[in-house]
Amino acid sequence: MKILVTGATGQFGSLVIDTLLKNLPAEQLAVSVRTPEKAAHLQAQGVEVRHGDFDQPETLDTAFAGVDRLLIVSADADNATRIRQHQAAIDAAKKAGVGFIAYTSVAKADKSTLSLAEVHRAAEEAILATGIPYSLLRNNWYAENEAGSVQGAIHGAPWLNATGTARAGYALRSDYAEAAAAVLAGEGHDNTVYELSGKPRTQAELAAITGEALGKEINVVDVDDAAFGQALTQAGLPDFVVAMIVDLQAPIREGSLDVESNDLETLLGRPATPLSAFVSALSGR
């Protein structure tokens, strides 16, 4: 059996392939990357490194040849580009006769009001249209997305909250990656949809966890979207990033990330990693 992971030199894909290497022989593993030279460390471990670029569909035919199970790690770009790139990868998987597709989606992709959900709905629909057995890995919010708030708290800044009492299923990227690896290496995952989520928590609850890990009290300040955006701008974030983050706040308030699910822990076979571990890693404690 040959398992291939796309984007394996990125933050998520690299964690998936590292997890697979702990459990499977390297000769069963392949990666598809835009720059093979960056995956030399994987090749040295026996992983087959293939050139595959979602913006060059002709490279994907070769990259996906002979693959039994494929993980398409969602790309990072504007919505239109991502939809085009994912469609190219899915088309190539179909053409290559891939036997199983796993895809990193987003929480409640079929009904989420998050702007980025459009990308994942399109990819999910395209995968279903191929008729290839699939697993849709609907990752909830990455704890790492809150690194700015945690780092601000470390340096004494207040914790700005633009989502009120809305909850999100924060979990660590490494846990989502381990769950993806479990699906790729395991059995019984054909035609599944997993809502992968940590315990839903409010921003105030996340701030409390952060405060406990840091051993300090954190002042949570509720703000509206305009004030939140202004603070992000003052922190030095580019305008397009500020606009993207502010745009996320209303859908989160509407519950787009509020998911009660045991799917993540079921796939992990253990409790999710405590969020305090992420805070401790950032703070060096």
Side-chain angles (χ1 to χ4, degrees):
M1 178 176 67
K2 180 70 80 176
I3 296 173
L4 185 138
V5 177
T6 70
T9 54
Q11 290 182 317
F12 187 87
S14 61
L15 291 172
V16 175
I17 202 71
D18 286 348
T19 302
L20 289 169
L21 277 168
K22 295 175 183 174
N23 300 294
L24 294 174
E27 56 266 27
Q28 288 189 15
L29 305 177
V31 297
S32 167
V33 294
R34 287 182 295 181
T35 309
E37 293 78 10
K38 291 183 178 179
H41 62 292
L42 295 174
Q43 191 167 31
Q45 296 177 73
V47 176
E48 186 178 355
V49 177
R50 303 179 178 183
H51 177 221
D53 187 335
F54 290 180
D55 286 324
Q56 300 179 52
E58 67 278 9
T59 65
L60 299 175
D61 294 343
T62 304
F64 295 169
V67 170
D68 300 295
R69 298 181 182 181
L70 168 67
L71 173 63
I72 298 176
V73 177
S74 52
D76 187 14
D78 61 82
N79 280 9
T81 300
R82 296 177 82 191
I83 289 171
R84 173 178 53 75
Q85 291 174 331
H86 296 160
Q87 185 66 58
I90 294 162
D91 289 346
K94 175 73 172 178
K95 188 175 179 181
V98 167
F100 174 83
I101 299 176
Y103 170 75
T104 57
S105 188
V106 71
K108 300 192 284 190
D110 53 339
K111 54 188 175 184
S112 172
T113 58
L114 290 168
S115 59
L116 56 83
E118 173 192 10
V119 173
H120 299 294
R121 272 194 297 274
E124 289 190 358
E125 291 168 3
I127 290 170
L128 266 60
T130 65
I132 298 172
Y134 63 87
S135 184
L136 305 178
L137 308 174
R138 292 179 172 174
N139 294 344
N140 204 293
W141 216 234
Y142 289 25
E144 287 81 357
N145 291 344
E146 304 299 331
S149 294
V150 173
Q151 288 171 331
I154 291 171
H155 294 94
W159 188 290
L160 301 185
N161 171 32
T163 56
T165 57
R167 305 188 304 171
Y170 304 103
L172 273 65
R173 177 184 290 115
S174 56
D175 276 358
Y176 292 128
E178 188 174 329
V183 167
L184 289 170
E187 300 295 338
H189 300 294
D190 283 6
N191 304 329
T192 53
V193 179
Y194 292 117
E195 290 285 354
L196 303 176
S197 174
K199 178 183 177 182
R201 301 179 190 276
T202 65
Q203 281 276 316
E205 290 171 333
L206 184 60
I209 291 170
T210 300
E212 184 174 352
L214 297 177
K216 63 193 295 186
E217 186 172 343
I218 295 175
N219 181 30
V220 178
V221 178
D222 292 333
V223 295
D224 60 20
D225 287 352
F228 190 55
Q230 185 176 17
L232 295 175
T233 299
Q234 290 173 345
L237 272 66
D239 289 346
F240 78 95
V241 175
V242 172
M244 179 183 68
I245 295 174
V246 170
D247 185 54
L248 294 170
Q249 304 311 304
I252 293 174
R253 287 193 294 268
E254 294 166 359
S256 286
L257 298 177
D258 192 348
V259 176
E260 295 275 4
S261 169
N262 295 322
D263 287 351
L264 179 60
E265 294 190 348
T266 298
L267 290 177
L268 293 175
R270 60 168 174 79
T273 303
L275 298 178
S276 58
F278 160 67
V279 177
S280 297
L282 270 184
S283 65
R285 298 191 178 195

